[in-house]
Amino acid sequence: MAISVTINGTAHSVDLPDNVPLLWVLRDAIGLTGTKFGCGIAACGACTVQIDGVAVRSCQVALADVWGEVTTIEGLGQPDNLAVIQQAWIDHQVAQCGYCQSGQIMNAAALLAETPTPTDDDIDAAMQGNLCRCGTYPRIRAAIKDAAQRLTEV
Ligand code: FES
Ligand code: FES
């Protein structure tokens, strides 16, 4: 039986087995390929999306267990209307190969929603599960702090 899932504000009827990971629903059924597969075992964070604003590893959430509205990197902003965090990422030239970055941004956005003015320790604690083989961690931290400042000035 098809399962209804709301993704980036649009309701989708997904006719896949209950236990299919949300990651593959997003990428293969819906065509939202901004969310990446890294490890498949909750160890890298590349697949991070938000459900009701909470950062989750989409490789670990079964379709039947999706409890709320899903937001992916495609839903965070648009090329002509970027989210503040996305603009900060560009301004700080965070991405190198880019593979981990959608997961990094989705986790960072969830952090800022929960903790508008994070300390370095807050950032490190929140982001430690999002791995970057290119070592962009210093720029990630700088972009998060910059986005926090911009958001609290609004
Ligand atoms: S692919 Fe989900 S945490 Fe690595
Ligand atoms: S930018 Fe290459 S893995 Fe993070």
Side-chain angles (χ1 to χ4, degrees), residues 2-151:
I3 295 175
S4 180
V5 186
T6 299
I7 302 167
N8 299 334
T10 301
H12 296 269
S13 181
V14 181
D15 195 5
L16 287 172
D18 290 7
N19 62 352
V20 170
L22 175 60
L23 171 61
W24 301 119
V25 173
L26 295 171
R27 289 184 57 86
D28 292 349
I30 312 296
L32 294 171
T33 55
T35 304
K36 304 303 185 192
F37 170 75
C39 64
I41 56 169
C44 76
C47 66
T48 304
V49 300
Q50 294 175 6
I51 300 179
D52 284 349
V54 176
V56 299
R57 305 289 193 250
S58 63
C59 70
Q60 299 298 304
V61 179
L63 172 59
D65 295 334
V66 175
W67 64 86
E69 292 202 11
V70 178
T71 304
T72 71
I73 190 70
E74 293 91 345
L76 203 59
Q78 297 297 317
D80 59 350
N81 186 24
L82 293 175
V84 170
I85 187 87
Q86 292 171 308
Q87 189 59 56
W89 237 249
I90 291 170
D91 294 345
H92 287 268
Q93 299 185 16
V94 174
Q96 193 161 317
C97 81
Y99 198 83
C100 72
Q101 296 293 333
S102 63
Q104 304 277 6
I105 291 171
M106 295 310 293
N107 201 27
L111 165 65
L112 292 179
E114 175 91 16
T115 308
T117 54
T119 64
D120 286 352
D121 286 348
D122 292 333
I123 293 171
D124 290 347
M127 302 299 294
Q128 64 178 347
N130 284 73
L131 305 184
C132 176
R133 292 183 63 170
C134 301
T136 62
Y137 303 113
R139 297 200 296 275
I140 287 171
R141 183 192 278 183
I144 292 172
K145 291 177 116 173
D146 190 4
Q149 188 170 3
R150 295 184 202 189
L151 286 165

